[in-house]
Amino acid sequence: MPVRNDDKTLSRKQRLQEKQRRQLAVVDTVDKAEAKVRKAEVELAGAVTEAVQVFGDEQSASEGLDMPVEAIRRFLAMAQDEAAGAGDVAGAS
């Protein structure tokens, strides 16, 4: 009859739990960082929208901000999506 070593089993279990704990901690860190990036992108989209208004059009804003027109348009679309989403949330309340 084989003898089981409970210390090794426990040790493996503890190692697995520690690995899972570290994995969850990393996932949590990434989730928080993604939320910060999203918030920063929304703020940048608002600033780009204001820049387009101040500069007069997308091309002038692109030149003034030294940012490609495609990026300007992406941020404008993002700001528009955010405004539409905020309108949906406000309308649902």
Side-chain angles (χ1 to χ4, degrees):
M1 186 167 132
V3 176
R4 252 181 77 187
N5 186 342
D6 287 339
D7 290 340
K8 276 190 174 180
T9 304
L10 186 59
S11 179
R12 276 184 252 166
K13 182 179 178 182
Q14 286 174 332
R15 285 194 309 263
L16 178 58
Q17 287 173 333
E18 178 60 19
K19 182 178 179 180
Q20 289 173 334
R21 185 198 63 75
R22 288 193 323 261
Q23 288 172 339
L24 289 172
V26 168
V27 169
D28 186 49
T29 300
V30 169
D31 285 348
K32 288 177 182 176
E34 285 177 332
K36 288 179 183 179
V37 167
R38 177 69 182 149
K39 182 179 178 186
E41 284 181 330
V42 168
E43 289 178 17
L44 182 55
V48 168
T49 299
E50 185 176 349
V52 170
Q53 293 170 352
V54 169
F55 283 100
D57 60 24
E58 293 172 6
Q59 184 61 44
S60 298
S62 170
E63 293 167 6
L65 297 174
D66 194 27
M67 183 181 287
V69 174
E70 296 79 22
I72 298 282
R73 290 183 181 139
R74 184 174 67 88
F75 286 118
L76 289 173
M78 187 183 297
Q80 192 173 28
D81 291 346
E82 281 296 313
D88 290 346
V89 171
S93 297

